[in-house]
Amino acid sequence: MNESGNSKRIRRAARIIVLDHESRVLLFRFDICDRPPFWVTVGGECEADECFEDAAVRELFEETGIRADPGTQIARTTPEFITVEGEPIQADERYFLIRVDKPEIDTGGHTELERKVMTQHRWFTLSELADWPEAIFPDNLVEIISTAR
């Protein structure tokens, strides 16, 4: 049993909300064969001995090519979901926010799995997030961004 009382593995993850100079947020689209497409923030699982802040720096660079200090944590979510690899988990996701001057993204650091399932990236306005036809995670992303401003 984990601390939330269920038997799922706790998956610690750093998520980074990347905003450009127009306050658009960067999201990646995941296309997995047995699920509807969905969009998520930059980020991923912490390595075994890694703190959330270090994971945020590493994930930000690996997924976007951006080197930046993510600062302090601005939010936390603890959703349960099934990973891309098919494992049911209890997530412990810590959110960080960075602003970039140029919306240029380098996906050259993606792993083979990321190249397969992370099929697109896009900069969204906050109003687009409210009406987007595909799922966006976290589902309270607009609220997290608004609170952090």
Side-chain angles (χ1 to χ4, degrees), residues 11-18 26-28 30 38-46 52-53 55-57 59-60 63 70 72-77 79 81 91-98 114 118 137-138 141 144:
R11 179 182 184 267
R12 298 177 329 114
R15 310 291 326 170
I16 306 94
I17 298 168
V18 181
L26 175 66
L27 298 177
F28 282 90
F30 278 67
F38 58 93
W39 295 80
V40 299
T41 59
V42 172
E45 187 169 7
C46 299
F52 289 99
E53 293 79 8
V57 170
E59 288 286 343
L60 178 64
E63 293 188 2
T72 59
Q73 176 184 318
I74 61 163
R76 178 185 185 196
T77 61
F81 61 89
D92 181 1
E93 299 185 328
R94 310 296 174 97
Y95 287 82
F96 301 86
L97 186 142
I98 68 153
E114 288 170 336
M118 295 169 71
F137 298 108
L141 180 58
I144 291 172

Side-chain angles (χ1 to χ4, degrees), residues 16-30:
I16 306 94
I17 298 168
V18 181
L19 298 179
D20 72 1
H21 66 283
E22 296 175 28
S23 291
R24 297 178 304 169
V25 62
L26 175 66
L27 298 177
F28 282 90
R29 185 176 195 239
F30 278 67

